Amino acid sequence: MSSGNFNPTSSSEIDAVVKTVEKYINGIKTANIETLKQAFYPSATMHGYIGDDLSAGPIDPLFALIEACGPMDGLKSRIDVLDITGTTAVVRVTMEHADHDRDYTDFHTLYKQREGGSWKIIAKVFHLYDRV
């Protein structure tokens, strides 16, 4: 058995994935861009519709949006780890009362870096809900 063959669904690996996504949520909630950036791989991407307009490309516009909105004390969120392997994970994040009091569902793809073993979000795909 190779030393790299381990149970990816161990509680410590799931906790490490959740911890990365919590940095994302805490960065949004507090408008702390440095905390938010810690959750993402530098070349991470983001895709989703805002109204009829597709937002697609680098993650940097998210940082600018959160900085412009400021802290979001009313933000409520839920993290669901959908699947995890030795080096990849898919997580659903449901958020209510995020920027401009909007609700979202995000799907994050994470990658476990071999150097240091930390998890980083490499892609964010989101759905913005209409307010009823």
Side-chain angles (χ1 to χ4, degrees):
M1 179 169 20
S2 77
S3 62
N5 189 19
F6 62 95
N7 179 2
T9 58
S10 70
S11 60
S12 63
E13 282 303 305
I14 293 170
D15 289 347
V17 167
V18 169
K19 186 174 180 179
T20 297
V21 178
E22 285 175 339
K23 285 181 186 176
Y24 163 75
I25 293 168
N26 290 333
I28 289 174
K29 188 170 189 169
T30 62
N32 184 321
I33 304 309
E34 290 309 311
T35 298
L36 185 59
K37 285 182 177 182
Q38 289 174 17
F40 288 94
Y41 193 74
S43 61
T45 60
M46 173 175 69
H47 291 76
Y49 281 96
I50 300 174
D52 292 333
D53 299 324
L54 177 63
S55 175
I59 199 69
D60 295 333
L62 174 67
F63 305 144
L65 172 68
I66 299 307
E67 189 170 45
C69 287
M72 299 173 209
D73 297 329
L75 178 72
K76 296 194 182 326
S77 62
R78 176 185 168 102
I79 299 170
D80 296 299
V81 177
L82 303 178
D83 206 355
I84 186 170
T85 69
T87 57
T88 62
V90 178
V91 176
R92 178 180 51 226
V93 177
T94 305
M95 293 188 293
E96 298 174 353
H97 308 292
D99 65 277
H100 304 290
D101 200 31
R102 299 189 281 196
D103 298 344
Y104 292 86
T105 296
D106 293 346
F107 291 93
H108 296 270
T109 303
L110 289 85
Y111 172 74
K112 185 175 183 182
Q113 298 177 326
R114 295 209 176 192
E115 310 80 32
S118 64
W119 289 92
K120 296 289 182 182
I121 301 168
I122 61 169
K124 165 189 163 94
V125 178
F126 68 89
H127 178 83
L128 169 61
Y129 295 97
D130 292 333
R131 279 283 175 192
V132 182

